[in-house]
Amino acid sequence: MSHRTAIVTGSTSGIGHEVARRLHADGFNVVITGRNRQRGEQVRAELGENATFVALDLTTPGAPAELAAVAVDQYGCLDVVVNNAAMDYTGYLLDVPVEDIRRVLEINAIAAIAVLQESAKRMDRGGAIINITSRLASIGLPTAAIYSSAKGALKALTTAAAVELAPRNIRVNAVAPGLTRTPLYEAWLSREADPEETERDRVADIPLGRVADPKDVAAVVSFLASKEASYLTGVSIPVDGGYTAR
């Protein structure tokens, strides 16, 4: 059994799935979590030994504490947490219902804060918390204001938590993906009138000239989770092909 344990929230598809794969390959015990039990069990079976799936809705009271406790009970320690679980949302700002705003903030920010709190309490030997934010935490895009607000909150949390948790030897960093070829991206693209033209237009705005692969994001998470990043805390690393550097 590995002596390092990682939790990856929202790890039944997309970026979270690839992060779980990468950390497992790096030698971590990996606790996978999501609301879809079937997909979660498929990921657990794919990873094999030293992987556990917990079906949870992290917005449910007590769920973040339960998740952190499972990691410690199952593997004896908790070293890394990747706050990846999120919902996408677009809508013209002046028309967004308040209940939708609350739901997006609840899933994308409040649940992540609770996971950080409950996990940090159990990181007895220090550790690393990695928040998956977005390029939209740093830029403005029409119809993305609510999603941007939630991801921006997570970015701000990263810097504040990094300072407060440093005496506990807990590092807190963020990874901010740009457009990434996930099932959600493919589904969005397929709904466009001309998917190929739409993708060409989006790629034209990316200096490196391509959409990210989930493996690009997972590689940066892997570094932040490693001992090589032991003096890195409070930063947000854009994985966006240079989009936000323009």
Side-chain angles (χ1 to χ4, degrees):
M1 180 183 295
S2 170
H3 295 295
R4 298 183 299 167
T5 300
I7 289 172
V8 184
T9 69
S11 43
T12 60
S13 66
I15 289 172
H17 184 187
E18 194 59 49
V19 168
R21 280 192 186 119
R22 178 61 185 260
L23 293 182
H24 190 262
D26 289 344
F28 282 88
N29 306 308
V30 176
V31 179
I32 307 147
T33 185
R35 290 177 292 180
N36 189 307
R37 184 176 294 276
Q38 180 179 3
R39 289 207 310 255
E41 291 296 348
Q42 287 172 347
V43 175
R44 186 205 59 77
E46 172 200 327
L47 297 184
E49 292 184 3
N50 301 333
T52 299
F53 170 65
V54 186
L56 286 173
D57 178 345
L58 293 172
T59 66
T60 302
E66 179 183 348
L67 177 62
V70 166
V72 175
D73 292 346
Q74 185 82 17
Y75 298 113
C77 60
L78 178 55
D79 304 281
V80 170
V81 172
V82 182
N83 256 326
N84 173 73
M87 67 172 285
D88 196 13
Y89 190 90
T90 57
Y92 183 56
L93 176 59
L94 303 187
D95 294 334
V96 177
V98 171
E99 55 267 29
D100 285 5
I101 298 171
R102 289 197 177 100
R103 182 64 177 161
V104 173
L105 290 172
E106 183 74 29
I107 294 173
N108 292 8
I110 296 172
I113 294 170
V115 169
L116 181 150
Q117 289 176 313
E118 295 298 338
S119 299
K121 291 174 186 176
R122 294 165 174 81
M123 288 179 162
D124 296 333
R125 57 186 187 182
I129 296 172
I130 301 155
N131 296 319
I132 306 299
T133 60
S134 169
R135 62 177 182 152
L136 298 176
S138 301
I139 65 162
L141 193 68
T143 75
I146 305 308
Y147 182 82
S148 295
S149 298
K151 289 299 188 177
L154 201 54
K155 181 182 178 183
L157 169 72
T158 297
T159 53
V163 173
E164 187 163 343
L165 297 180
R168 300 170 68 102
N169 195 31
I170 296 173
R171 298 181 296 107
V172 187
N173 293 294
V175 174
L179 283 177
T180 306
R181 200 172 297 283
T182 64
L184 277 177
Y185 172 82
E186 298 290 0
W188 163 75
L189 200 61
S190 70
R191 294 192 296 269
E192 293 295 301
D194 188 337
E196 291 185 2
E197 181 180 2
T198 297
E199 184 163 54
R200 280 196 302 270
D201 290 344
R202 296 300 185 272
V203 168
D205 288 335
I206 301 171
L208 286 183
R210 68 175 176 88
V211 173
D213 187 280
K215 291 180 181 179
D216 296 319
V217 182
V220 178
V221 172
S222 172
F223 168 67
L224 290 174
S226 73
K227 293 180 180 179
E228 282 73 18
S230 63
Y231 200 59
L232 197 62
T233 195
V235 303
S236 176
I237 301 178
V239 186
D240 61 8
Y243 182 89
T244 52
R246 296 173 308 157

